[in-house]
Amino acid sequence: MACDTSAVTGNDTTNNDSSSTLNTYMPGSQLDESTPLVTSQQQCYRANRRNSNANTMPSATATATADCLSAIEDEFEIHDIGPLVDIGDHETTFSLSKLLRFAGPGFAMSIAYVDPGNICSDLHCGAVAGYKLIWLLFLTHALGLYIQTLSARIGIVTGRNLAQHCHQQYAHGVRVPLWLICELAIIGSDIQEAIGTAIALYLLFGIAVWKGILIAAALSYVILAIQRFGARKVEAILIAMIAVMCGCFGVEVLMAQPDIGQIAQGFLVPRIPANAMVQAVGIVGAVIMPHNLFLHSALVGTRRIKRASAVRNASIREANFYTVLESGIALLFSFAINATILIVFADIYSAGNSSSPSSSSSNSGGGYLVRVAEEQHLPGLVEAAALLEKAFGQAGPLLWAIGLLASGQSSTATGTMAGQFLMEGMMEMRVSPWLRMLISRSISLVPTMLVGTLASKYLDQFDEWLNVLQSLALPFALIPTLKLAQSKAIMTDRFALGTWWRVFGWVMAGAIIALNVYLLLPLVLQVATQSMAGALLAYAAFGLYLVFVGVLGLTSVEN
């Protein structure tokens, strides 16, 4: 591919040989077919920053970087995801065929909204609050669309994913703990997915939970192997699994024959019952996953966008439009899946097929984590199958198990991809996805096996703790996303976040941080009453959490 290098080097040079052109863009670097696109993007960005004079506007550097990336994308493929998907030239009118070419990253992102942790949260909401929290479930998906749109726009506009920007913008002392926190959240999600898959195998085939955990670890490599055949193949499998979940849980809704009027009221009338505050908090913590922001900003890079300066802005606007549309459609399916689970269990409990979990509640204190265990006996993933069998016969638990299996395996695949992008982008550590999965699975396998073998009756409480972990880690992905999306130096004047959307984003981030304080503070106070050492450790950890959130918020990302 030929391109004008004078925008970067200051030389009026044209070369029809793509390798020569790329080396002109990046002085001192030699690219070959083994060079990952991730590294190439970083070299482009740094070379353009280095070669721009002090009076060059950031947008000019961004344009030069985009021209460089345009050349690279014709020669290289994203690491282990296969060739880029060609979306064609810019079109001035809506095109269904183009939407289909963009379809994939949004559906892969939406998998995290229907993982086993979310399924468990949904059935708890239905059991405790009936239909009354459907509006909150929809609101969290709408907020999720806003957040995911920001992360996708960062990837589309800059040609670099969120993890790569974090590497560029944050000092080593901030970047390492940021990476470790996000990796911990991915491992926590990995544990939830293994538990969900193991329970599904137990329900389907009677396999012991601990054996199911080992089988789940082995099954993860099957989907990983399909990555070798390209992004479209992986996306097709993930979309198929979403269809399986829609089918299984949708049939159960039809079997339940719920009251449409009550469903509409739960959707249109915002209210939180006094006994469902814990479940309301749990919805937010379970739905929006931190690693999903890193995943989505990277997966949009699998689409080849025309980045030559003459068509760059129009192509990016088009890509932003189709990405938001596809993500919205995908999250509507995710909302439908979550809502069907909530509705089914709301119907089961309202019909008197099980005792109300709120009947045994007490007013004991201790915060979110303690109240989950002590105030209410909530149905778990295994107990849910028994309730479904009682309500609908043998078909109920069968459909439940199949949907749960699809949820566990699909979310494992996206979690692995997110971890790969996070490690390569933020730490510039390039390892094989097979090795990456082996490491993360080995770490997560120990606590999962311990719970699965020694304390299987506490699997669902363990799952609640992991949902809390996701909520605590979310600000560490959300804050960098907001700061990058609002930066005119990075996103250019044309694509930087507007004032009102910026205010909305920070209000939402503040609300999530306040929610985490609500989750943490009672637990900190409880630990502090046990011993002096416990008090010092609890207060220190709580303080470090708030300080690190503040550091991320105050660090400039204008470079």
Side-chain angles (χ1 to χ4, degrees):
M1 173 181 177
C3 50
D4 181 11
T5 63
S6 60
V8 179
T9 63
N11 301 323
D12 186 13
T13 304
T14 303
N15 193 329
N16 291 325
D17 181 80
S18 61
S19 297
S20 173
T21 300
L22 295 178
N23 289 332
T24 304
Y25 269 106
M26 290 167 285
S29 66
Q30 295 294 324
L31 296 178
D32 56 41
E33 293 182 356
S34 65
T35 305
L37 182 58
V38 166
T39 304
S40 304
Q41 289 172 334
Q42 292 166 343
Q43 289 174 330
C44 275
Y45 183 83
R46 290 169 185 168
N48 290 325
R49 294 287 297 179
R50 187 167 57 248
N51 289 303
S52 297
N53 59 48
N55 296 321
T56 300
M57 295 296 292
S59 58
T61 300
T63 301
T65 302
D67 289 340
C68 177
L69 289 174
S70 180
I72 290 174
E73 287 169 355
D74 283 342
E75 298 295 324
F76 299 101
E77 302 174 355
I78 287 184
H79 176 44
D80 290 305
I81 301 294
L84 301 181
V85 179
D86 189 1
I87 52 91
D89 294 327
H90 167 68
E91 299 178 23
T92 57
T93 59
F94 175 78
S95 169
L96 179 60
S97 63
K98 176 154 288 191
L99 174 61
L100 294 177
R101 288 195 291 271
F102 272 100
F107 282 92
M109 166 273 295
S110 70
I111 290 290
Y113 289 72
V114 290
D115 72 346
N118 279 290
I119 290 177
C120 190
S121 175
D122 296 333
L123 71 92
H124 289 173
C125 289
V128 174
Y131 307 107
K132 296 182 179 67
L133 293 180
I134 297 178
W135 70 272
L136 183 59
L137 187 63
F138 180 79
L139 179 62
T140 55
H141 280 77
L143 294 176
L145 177 60
Y146 168 76
I147 298 173
Q148 298 295 160
T149 297
L150 295 186
S151 69
R153 282 170 61 90
I154 290 170
I156 291 170
V157 174
T158 68
R160 305 169 71 234
N161 63 52
L162 178 59
Q164 292 170 315
H165 280 290
C166 288
H167 176 87
Q168 178 72 22
Q169 301 297 333
Y170 293 111
H172 184 77
V174 175
R175 188 167 65 243
V176 171
L178 179 62
W179 171 65
L180 290 174
I181 290 171
C182 294
E183 286 285 2
L184 184 62
I186 292 177
I187 291 172
S189 179
D190 200 34
I191 294 173
Q192 289 180 303
E193 292 145 10
I195 290 175
T197 301
I199 290 176
L201 293 173
Y202 167 75
L203 295 174
L204 287 170
F205 308 110
I207 299 173
V209 172
W210 69 270
K211 293 181 181 178
I213 293 171
L214 294 176
I215 294 174
L219 288 175
S220 304
Y221 287 95
V222 176
I223 296 180
L224 187 62
I226 300 172
Q227 287 189 23
R228 295 289 182 178
F229 299 98
R232 297 295 274 177
K233 303 297 188 300
V234 176
E235 291 163 0
I237 290 176
L238 296 177
I239 291 173
M241 289 189 177
I242 291 175
V244 168
M245 286 184 271
C246 286
C248 290
F249 300 135
V251 169
E252 289 184 335
V253 166
L254 296 177
M255 295 169 67
Q257 298 181 340
D259 187 324
I260 302 300
Q262 290 189 37
I263 294 175
Q265 187 178 23
F267 182 80
L268 298 173
V269 181
R271 51 182 171 165
I272 300 177
N275 67 322
M277 184 60 68
V278 170
Q279 284 68 42
V281 172
I283 285 180
V284 180
V287 168
I288 305 175
M289 297 285 188
H291 68 266
N292 230 20
L293 302 183
F294 294 98
L295 175 70
H296 202 193
S297 68
L299 287 181
V300 293
T302 60
R303 269 54 183 173
R304 180 183 284 111
I305 300 171
K306 306 298 183 182
R307 295 187 181 275
S309 57
V311 296
R312 177 179 183 268
N313 288 336
S315 297
I316 288 176
R317 280 197 304 269
E318 180 184 59
N320 284 337
F321 169 76
Y322 283 107
T323 297
V324 172
L325 181 58
E326 186 245 353
S327 299
I329 294 171
L331 287 179
L332 277 178
F333 279 100
S334 297
F335 168 71
I337 292 170
N338 286 301
T340 54
I341 297 169
L342 186 152
I343 290 169
V344 165
F345 284 93
D347 181 79
I348 288 176
Y349 276 85
S350 66
N353 289 319
S354 179
S355 60
S356 172
S358 61
S359 60
S360 60
S361 65
S362 63
N363 293 321
S364 59
Y368 172 74
L369 297 177
V370 177
R371 292 201 300 275
V372 165
E374 294 182 356
E375 284 192 5
Q376 301 169 335
H377 172 66
L378 298 173
L381 296 174
V382 176
E383 187 178 353
L387 294 174
L388 290 169
E389 183 175 11
K390 182 179 178 181
F392 310 130
Q394 291 294 327
L398 177 62
L399 292 169
W400 176 255
I402 294 173
L404 187 59
L405 182 62
S407 169
Q409 283 303 289
S410 58
S411 52
T412 293
T414 56
T416 300
M417 288 190 290
Q420 189 73 15
F421 291 128
L422 180 67
M423 181 180 291
E424 289 187 0
M426 193 176 296
M427 301 305 294
E428 294 190 335
M429 296 169 58
R430 179 179 167 87
V431 299
S432 165
W434 302 87
L435 179 59
R436 150 99 204 161
M437 180 175 282
L438 178 63
I439 295 171
S440 63
R441 277 292 184 183
S442 298
I443 296 173
S444 64
L445 202 60
V446 174
T448 309
M449 286 293 290
L450 287 175
V451 175
T453 55
L454 303 178
S456 58
K457 66 179 180 179
Y458 296 111
L459 282 175
D460 296 299
Q461 291 182 22
F462 190 46
D463 192 65
E464 293 286 351
W465 278 76
L466 294 173
N467 280 341
V468 172
L469 173 63
Q470 301 297 330
S471 181
L472 294 176
L474 181 57
F476 302 110
L478 178 56
I479 291 175
T481 299
L482 286 170
K483 292 186 73 67
L484 289 166
Q486 72 183 23
S487 171
K488 294 181 180 180
I490 292 173
M491 299 290 286
T492 73
D493 292 340
R494 188 179 298 270
F495 297 107
L497 208 57
T499 301
W500 287 108
W501 283 116
R502 187 164 63 244
V503 170
F504 175 78
W506 285 110
V507 169
M508 181 179 62
I512 291 173
I513 294 170
L515 173 64
N516 287 335
V517 172
Y518 168 80
L519 293 171
L520 273 179
L521 190 55
L523 182 63
V524 169
L525 295 176
Q526 185 186 29
V527 173
T529 60
Q530 305 300 318
S531 65
M532 181 62 69
L536 292 175
L537 182 61
Y539 287 127
F542 186 60
L544 284 174
Y545 177 84
L546 295 179
V547 167
F548 195 52
V549 168
V551 168
L552 288 179
L554 295 175
T555 301
S556 173
V557 296
E558 299 301 317
N559 298 318

